[in-house]
Amino acid sequence: MNWSREIKDIHAKRKAALEQGGVEAVDRQHARGRLTVRERIDGLVDPGSFREHGRGAGGVERHADGTLKSFTPGNFVVGLGRIDGQPVVVGGEDFTVRGGSPNAAGLRKSVYIEDLALQYRVPLIRLHEGGGGSVTGAGGSGPIGEAIHAPRRFASVAEAMGAVPVATAALGPVAGLPASRLVAAHFSVMAKETAQVLIAGPAVVKRALGLPMPHK
């Protein structure tokens, strides 16, 4: 069996992931005076030390013959690096794809970051900028919450807090799941002027449940 097409696909996806949300999205990020998550990681860790995990994870669209048509990378970047020679796990939301609101691959990678820090027992650094998932799902028709047997998403967050040093930063608008992870840390900072941390309330719950919203 010839695996050349599959290998080519892997390399193509990994290359496409480096483009993040595309040139226009990256330009908009820079126009707001903010770096992309990859630029932030590169500026934080020792040069050449970052080893990304899951760069080829994302959503794929294919032509009728099965060849790759388009690729949307998971909008969370995570990996191992070094700061002053010391190993760390570092990652954060990619705001250039869906404003950091997690796509399927991005969500799994955001959950994976704590598992990685726990596996290697090294400090964890999360660089946050992004929104949580839509409370209405797909047009409000999807189920609320997850199956009872689904892995508990915050179990590893709590475990990491008890096992390794955790530091976080709000580097732009942070809402939903990223906001909860921002405060689940031993040390948190916010970028002056650009950072915003948003919380929910009764109106969000009513919207998620499809209940009528009050009119002003």
Side-chain angles (χ1 to χ4, degrees):
M1 183 176 182
N2 189 336
W3 292 92
S4 59
R5 190 174 78 176
E6 286 76 10
I7 295 171
K8 183 179 179 180
D9 271 7
I10 292 172
H11 288 297
K13 288 188 286 186
R14 288 177 176 173
K15 181 179 178 180
L18 296 177
E19 299 175 4
Q20 300 178 246
V23 175
E24 292 183 2
V26 171
D27 287 346
R28 285 195 298 271
Q29 183 78 349
H30 290 161
R32 298 184 182 107
R34 302 199 294 267
L35 299 175
T36 68
V37 65
R38 292 186 180 278
E39 291 168 334
R40 289 166 178 163
I41 292 172
D42 286 345
L44 178 65
V45 302
D46 296 345
S49 69
F50 185 61
R51 296 293 180 265
E52 186 174 350
H53 286 220
R55 195 172 84 194
V60 173
E61 186 179 0
R62 296 188 180 277
H63 294 287
D65 62 357
T67 57
L68 189 66
K69 181 179 181 181
S70 65
F71 173 71
T72 302
N75 55 351
F76 194 96
V77 177
V78 57
L80 286 155
R82 291 182 177 273
I83 297 178
D84 293 335
Q86 300 301 310
V88 297
V89 169
V90 60
E93 292 85 19
D94 180 0
F95 198 80
T96 68
V97 180
R98 290 168 45 109
S101 180
N103 54 22
L107 177 60
R108 292 312 310 158
K109 290 170 74 176
S110 74
V111 175
Y112 170 71
I113 191 171
E114 281 89 18
D115 293 333
L116 190 61
L118 288 165
Q119 177 183 349
Y120 287 97
R121 286 297 193 269
V122 298
L124 169 61
I125 303 171
R126 296 191 300 259
L127 308 174
H128 291 295
E129 182 185 18
S134 170
V135 296
T136 59
S141 59
I144 300 298
E146 295 182 329
I148 192 170
H149 53 75
R152 291 171 293 178
R153 194 175 296 172
F154 275 85
S156 60
V157 175
E159 190 176 351
M161 288 281 289
V164 299
V166 181
T168 61
L171 301 171
V174 183
L177 185 62
S180 61
R181 279 195 154 87
L182 171 72
V183 299
H186 301 107
F187 179 76
S188 297
V189 296
M190 295 177 64
K192 188 176 181 179
E193 297 181 356
T194 59
Q196 306 169 55
V197 180
L198 294 80
I199 58 174
V204 175
V205 176
K206 287 183 177 180
R207 183 176 177 85
L209 297 175
L211 299 176
M213 301 293 291
H215 296 285
K216 293 184 178 180

